[in-house]
Amino acid sequence: MMETPVLIPHAGEQLVADLALGSAEAVIVLPGWGGTRYGPQRILLRTAAACAARGYTTLRLDFRGRGDSGGSATASSLDGMIADVTAAVEWLCAEHQVTRVHLVGLCSGGNVALGAASLLPQVQQVVCWSLLPFMEHKGLAAQQGTHRGQRLQQLLRKALRPETWRKLLRGEANVRGAMHTVVQDKEGDANERQRKTSRRDILAQLQHFSGRLHLLYGGQDPEAAGSEAFFSAWCQQHHIPVDTRVIAGAPHNFYTAQWTEAVVTQTVQWLTEA
């Protein structure tokens, strides 16, 4: 893959991205909330390379306030990230004659992808890895309790493993971190939760999306079951085609080469089906 670093002007800042030119059909890969355009274990880079090998134009984007792009990290927001993707799509169409766009996003990047798909007619397919419900839907007490219970069960399973006790005896076990995992609000403080909440009703606007949606989860992601059930029910209610797959044994960010390869392969195969 021959990538070129590019600067995309937007809102008085510069979006930094890596571009590989191919056909008039583009794949844009999007990192999670605090991530960069490489992704954990370079999964976004590997996905872009696999898509470029199939002839797609690919773009790996750093949101404003993230990675090499301009802007303040504390000013980043879900709506701002959606605006970044909109600017990138418009730039691709104007500068490189792209006519069709597919979006691939990890975690919050998936929420951004859905937000952009609700606005941009160029978006034809969306792939979301480890997608979570939007902030306003995650606030349901029953759902939150389920997630914390699943995290607790996961920690208890780890506690029963012999290697955990060996680490504990050697002083290598992070007991404080484990307890923090159970009680913390992983979405941050009130300010950060507000920045993760869109001013639009994205799901209401997404009802008019005429493309295809693919959801990919890790089997060991404690929040996967609730999220999968939520989005599957919503898509069925609004007659949006959705294909949901689970990578057995994989966690939220699909660590290990085997899980990463499974995600990349599944994503590219699904994108090229149409």
Side-chain angles (χ1 to χ4, degrees):
M1 178 176 60
M2 297 295 294
E3 286 187 317
T4 302
V6 295
L7 299 177
I8 303 173
H10 172 53
E13 302 287 354
Q14 297 279 5
L15 296 174
V16 175
D18 290 302
L19 172 71
L21 288 176
S23 68
E25 197 165 356
V27 176
I28 302 178
V29 291
L30 305 173
W33 178 255
T36 71
R37 64 189 187 276
Y38 291 92
Q41 70 276 354
R42 299 165 70 87
I43 192 171
L44 299 183
L45 173 62
R46 294 183 62 180
T47 300
C51 289
R54 296 292 187 100
Y56 293 105
T57 289
T58 64
L59 188 76
R60 296 187 294 112
L61 178 69
D62 276 342
F63 296 122
R64 281 175 293 166
R66 302 290 188 261
D68 295 317
S69 291
S72 169
T74 57
S76 297
S77 68
L78 178 62
D79 285 334
M81 292 174 176
I82 293 170
D84 293 347
V85 175
T86 299
V89 170
E90 292 174 348
W91 181 84
L92 280 172
C93 294
E95 298 294 328
H96 297 287
Q97 294 71 56
V98 164
T99 57
R100 288 165 52 89
V101 175
H102 312 306
L103 301 176
V104 179
L106 170 63
C107 193
S108 293
N111 297 104
V112 173
L114 292 179
S118 71
L119 298 173
L120 299 170
Q122 298 95 327
V123 176
Q124 304 294 309
Q125 301 184 104
V126 177
V127 181
C128 299
W129 305 333
S130 301
L131 177 69
L132 300 178
F134 288 93
M135 187 61 66
E136 55 268 36
H137 304 293
K138 292 183 70 175
L140 297 175
Q143 191 177 53
Q144 182 69 18
T146 299
H147 291 167
R148 286 184 178 174
Q150 288 174 334
R151 287 201 294 271
L152 180 59
Q153 291 176 11
Q154 193 174 50
L155 287 169
L156 288 174
R157 286 196 296 270
K158 288 183 178 180
L160 296 175
R161 296 173 184 170
E163 59 267 29
T164 301
W165 284 99
R166 286 194 289 268
K167 287 183 178 180
L168 183 62
L169 292 173
R170 293 195 300 263
E172 298 174 358
N174 186 3
V175 178
R176 178 178 297 180
M179 294 307 297
H180 182 62
T181 300
V182 178
V183 301
Q184 72 172 330
D185 185 343
K186 64 178 293 185
E187 300 299 347
D189 59 17
N191 177 267
E192 187 166 8
R193 290 195 298 273
Q194 181 63 36
R195 290 189 286 117
K196 290 181 178 180
T197 304
S198 176
R199 292 187 295 271
R200 298 188 293 123
D201 187 341
I202 291 176
L203 287 185
Q205 296 182 18
L206 193 66
Q207 294 176 28
H208 305 290
F209 177 60
S210 59
R212 302 168 69 229
L213 176 62
H214 186 32
L215 305 181
L216 195 57
Y217 290 99
Q220 289 300 313
D221 184 347
E223 295 183 289
S227 179
E228 178 187 349
F230 174 85
F231 281 106
S232 294
W234 184 88
C235 288
Q236 183 178 11
Q237 179 183 358
H238 298 287
H239 309 290
I240 293 178
V242 60
D243 182 7
T244 302
R245 306 286 178 90
V246 175
I247 305 296
H252 184 80
N253 281 326
F254 305 102
Y255 297 121
T256 80
Q258 181 181 0
W259 291 327
T260 297
E261 183 62 29
V263 170
V264 173
T265 299
Q266 172 61 30
T267 298
V268 176
Q269 286 180 349
W270 186 87
L271 285 173
T272 55
E273 282 177 359

